[in-house]
């Protein structure tokens, strides 16, 4: 129990340093009995992602690191007690030991997030296809959505349907556009090879006309997915879960507006979207939509 207490403290500190919005969302909105594990879930994959993004690491090193993480999961699934080599791996072990149901939202989150990390290792240095990009986005969307429902309002069954993952899919589209320069510098090319080949450009030609046209199409797709995602969120019975969902959307829609104002020319960074005052405005908007879900449904039906 002492080891888990240490893990929870580490997880909260990693989360606080990495994302203040995520830290506050977990503190204020997650079900009380799952707060510690929510910190573990975010902090563990934040650590994994940072490890894999190290510029000096080799492909073999990244592969070996991920195999180690999968081995911990496999050991647990086969009934063994995993032996973490680092305090951060202890976060994963704490998560695995907390949930006996292999088909729970938490386990779906872990498997899909690990698959996302695995694909990142494999795609680094090459231009992926449109199909791979869509599969990548869907996997991330499943992970985020299942985690949302597992940690917030887990006693209130969420609605099912094809719109379940739309909000998170849209957020991932925007996330990849926002981080284009940073990702490209590390060898992660987010534009598919179909666009590169048809436009006769390189994946580094971010300001080119073919690239900007692709950005415009991605923005339109994100707008559509956000509208459908709002309609889904409005049907969620738990108020805290709705609020978290709307705040999540608002965070990325502000980046969309900036991209549109820039005529689809991506910026190297979007630091203004991390300001505290802007974040407060997002939360106010999210609270309004969460408290008046019928209005969100009406809005979605008008603009879809």
């Amino acid at each position: 129990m002492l080891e888990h207490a240490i893990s929870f403290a580490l997880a909260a500190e990693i989360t606080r340093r990495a994302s203040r919005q995520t830290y506050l969302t977990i503190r204020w909105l997650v079900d009380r009995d799952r707060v510690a594990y929510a910190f573990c879930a975010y902090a563990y994959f934040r650590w994994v992602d940072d490890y894999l993004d190290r510029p000096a690491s080799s492909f073999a090193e990244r592969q070996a690191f991920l195999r180690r993480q999968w081995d911990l999961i496999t050991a647990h699934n086969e009934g063994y007690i995993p032996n973490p080599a680092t305090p951060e791996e202890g976060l994963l072990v704490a998560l695995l030991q907390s949930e006996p149901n292999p088909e729970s939202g938490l386990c779906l989150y872990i498997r899909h997030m690990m698959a996302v990390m695995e694909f990142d290792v494999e795609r680094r240095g090459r231009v992926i296809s449109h199909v791979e990009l869509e599969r990548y986005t869907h996997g991330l969307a499943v992970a985020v959505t299942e985690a949302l429902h597992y940690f917030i309002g887990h006693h209130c069954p969420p609605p099912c349907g094809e719109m379940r993952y739309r909000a998170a899919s849209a957020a991932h589209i925007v996330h990849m556009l926002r981080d284009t320069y940073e990702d490209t510098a590390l060898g992660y090319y987010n534009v598919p090879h179909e666009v590169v080949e048809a436009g006769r450009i390189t994946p580094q030609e971010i300001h080119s006309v073919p690239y900007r046209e692709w950005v415009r199409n991605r923005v339109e797709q994100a707008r559509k997915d956000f509208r459908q995602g709002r309609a889904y969120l409005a049907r969620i019975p738990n108020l805290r879960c709705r609020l978290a969902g709307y705040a999540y959307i608002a965070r990325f829609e502000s980046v969309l507006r900036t991209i549109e104002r820039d005529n689809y020319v991506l910026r190297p960074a979007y630091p203004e979207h991390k300001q505290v005052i802007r974040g407060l405005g997002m939360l106010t908007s999210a609270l309004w939509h969460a408290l008046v879900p019928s209005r969100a449904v009406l809005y979605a039906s008008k603009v879809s």
Side-chain angles (χ1 to χ4, degrees):
M1 186 62 91
L2 178 59
E3 290 181 357
H4 280 187
I6 295 173
S7 295
F8 297 154
L10 172 65
E13 180 58 22
I14 291 175
T15 304
R16 187 189 63 80
R17 291 199 307 264
S19 172
R20 186 160 182 80
Q21 179 174 341
T22 302
Y23 178 83
L24 294 176
T25 296
I26 293 174
R27 285 289 302 272
W28 293 346
L29 300 180
V30 165
D31 300 343
R32 292 299 89 193
D33 58 333
R34 296 191 172 183
V35 167
Y37 294 106
F39 278 130
C40 286
Y42 177 85
Y44 170 72
F45 281 105
R46 178 72 273 155
W47 172 70
V48 171
D49 192 47
D50 288 345
Y51 185 96
L52 296 175
D53 281 349
R54 294 180 308 155
S57 63
S58 68
F59 177 68
E61 288 173 331
R62 295 191 293 272
Q63 275 194 318
F65 173 79
L66 268 187
R67 278 199 302 271
R68 164 71 184 171
Q69 309 312 305
W70 276 117
D71 286 346
L72 292 173
I73 296 172
T74 300
H76 174 266
N77 292 342
E78 293 178 352
Y80 299 102
I81 298 177
N83 183 26
T86 68
E88 291 82 5
E89 288 184 353
L91 305 180
L92 174 62
V93 173
L95 285 172
L96 293 171
Q97 293 180 338
S98 73
E99 179 51 70
N101 179 10
E103 297 306 315
S104 68
L106 176 60
C107 292
L108 288 173
Y109 168 76
I110 292 172
R111 290 201 299 272
H112 279 85
M113 280 299 294
M114 201 66 77
V116 165
M117 300 294 167
E118 197 168 40
F119 180 67
D120 268 338
V121 168
E122 192 276 328
R123 79 182 181 104
R124 190 169 179 179
R126 73 176 180 88
V127 184
I128 62 178
S129 69
H130 176 74
V131 171
E132 288 177 306
L133 178 62
E134 293 299 299
R135 189 182 303 124
Y136 179 52
T137 294
H138 179 71
L140 194 283
V142 171
V144 170
T145 304
E146 295 303 331
L148 175 73
H149 291 310
Y150 181 84
F151 289 116
I152 306 179
H154 70 280
H155 293 303
C156 304
C160 298
E162 63 179 21
M163 294 190 297
R164 182 179 178 92
Y165 303 120
R166 294 296 172 82
S169 293
H172 190 237
I173 290 173
V174 182
H175 188 281
M176 295 183 79
L177 294 177
R178 183 196 67 188
D179 293 351
T180 292
Y181 277 89
E182 180 182 345
D183 288 347
T184 300
L186 291 171
Y188 299 115
Y189 305 119
N190 298 331
V191 60
H193 69 69
E194 291 90 344
V195 174
V196 170
E197 293 172 1
R200 297 183 178 181
I201 61 173
T202 68
Q204 291 88 356
E205 293 181 70
I206 298 168
H207 284 187
S208 66
V209 172
Y211 205 115
R212 288 169 59 191
E213 179 62 17
W214 174 74
V215 171
R216 183 183 67 80
N217 291 333
R218 296 302 281 170
V219 168
E220 291 177 355
Q221 183 63 53
R223 287 289 189 195
K224 177 181 177 181
D225 287 347
F226 274 140
R227 289 195 295 268
Q228 295 177 334
R230 273 203 185 88
Y232 169 79
L233 289 172
R235 296 165 50 212
I236 293 176
N238 185 270
L239 173 62
R240 288 177 289 110
C241 191
R242 290 203 306 273
L243 177 57
Y246 288 128
Y248 184 66
I249 288 177
R251 175 184 183 183
F252 289 99
E253 280 192 322
S254 68
V255 179
L256 274 188
R257 288 191 291 271
T258 299
I259 294 174
E260 289 168 332
R261 285 196 301 268
D262 291 346
N263 198 24
Y264 308 105
V265 176
L266 298 177
R267 300 180 182 183
Y270 295 84
E272 70 273 20
H273 297 283
K274 298 181 180 180
Q275 294 175 359
V276 173
I277 190 67
R278 185 179 293 271
L280 292 175
M282 291 178 189
L283 288 176
T284 301
S285 173
L287 181 59
W288 168 253
H289 284 294
L291 291 172
V292 193
S294 58
R295 182 181 179 86
V297 172
L298 179 61
Y299 170 78
S301 64
K302 283 183 178 180
V303 296
S304 59

